[in-house]
Amino acid sequence: MSRHQPDGGVKLTAAEIAALDEKWACCWSPAEVARRLEGVATPWYVAAGWALDLFRGAQTRKHGDVEIAIPAADFPEVRDRFPGYVFDAVGDGRIWEDAAPDALAATHQTWVRDANTGGYLLDVFREPHDGRTWICRHAETVRLPYSEIILRTPDGIPFLAPELVLLFKAKHVRAKDQRDFDESVPYLTSAQRRRLAELVAHVYPEHQWLKGL
């Protein structure tokens, strides 16, 4: 991902940001996303809060959207599964509608939009990687094989391992992130808990969560 912000794009106003919840109101479920991506060769997974709910086997709170992550180089394969939809790149409070290659190269987040309704259906993270080795976007020294980081529900929906979801949430620790941590840690295996502690200590050595791990 380039650090240079491309030309174009629109800065979202406070009112437009406030209206995003309504635009995401009809987003797909993880099961619907899995149905649409069935058979793709690239490794992909449900990320963020939904991933923790899939890990625990039940929806525990309302989610504003559904997020998946894919290797950045494989974005065309995923995009081709959604003909008729528009992919908008977003970053730093800006949006590039029907994003051109330069906007995609400068961002990591892509919103799938229904051009007829204007509603958003799916949030696609285009993540750094080295072949089939996943690279943590927040700490490039954290590298793991995709085969180790993707778990599956009994019906086959892939999701990011919970300790890695929590590593991402450790960056900002919003109220929902703290709640996700408090409610998910008791379900972690000893190995998952140990890896979470090691990763948080590596990326955020003074983090408040370390005392609880």
Side-chain angles (χ1 to χ4, degrees), residues 193-213:
R193 191 166 182 152
R194 182 167 57 252
R195 181 154 71 170
L196 175 58
E198 292 171 350
L199 289 171
V200 172
H202 173 68
V203 181
Y204 309 109
E206 304 299 325
H207 202 282
Q208 66 195 56
W209 284 354
L210 291 173
K211 293 181 179 179
L213 292 171

Side-chain angles (χ1 to χ4, degrees), residues 137-177:
R137 182 166 36 88
H138 292 173
E140 292 190 356
T141 56
V142 178
R143 299 172 177 233
L144 296 163
Y146 276 101
S147 59
E148 289 186 14
I149 70 168
I150 298 177
L151 306 181
R152 293 183 181 273
T153 64
D155 53 350
I157 301 174
F159 62 93
L160 183 62
E163 64 271 28
L164 297 176
V165 177
L166 292 171
L167 176 64
F168 278 111
K169 286 178 169 289
K171 182 175 182 178
H172 296 297
V173 193
R174 299 158 296 183
K176 67 178 180 179
D177 299 325

Side-chain angles (χ1 to χ4, degrees), residues 28-39 44 81-82 157:
W28 290 322
S29 67
E32 174 64 12
V33 177
R35 185 186 70 78
R36 289 174 178 269
L37 291 179
E38 184 176 2
W44 71 274
R81 283 302 187 99
F82 302 99
I157 301 174

Side-chain angles (χ1 to χ4, degrees), residues 126-138:
R126 291 166 283 110
E127 300 282 29
H129 63 105
D130 181 5
R132 286 299 181 253
T133 297
W134 173 84
I135 301 173
C136 178
R137 182 166 36 88
H138 292 173

Side-chain angles (χ1 to χ4, degrees), residues 28-68:
W28 290 322
S29 67
E32 174 64 12
V33 177
R35 185 186 70 78
R36 289 174 178 269
L37 291 179
E38 184 176 2
V40 297
T42 188
W44 71 274
Y45 54 79
V46 175
W50 259 119
L52 294 176
D53 277 355
L54 293 175
F55 165 65
R56 293 173 59 180
Q59 184 172 350
T60 62
R61 63 174 173 84
K62 177 178 173 58
H63 299 281
D65 59 5
V66 58
E67 298 145 314
I68 68 167

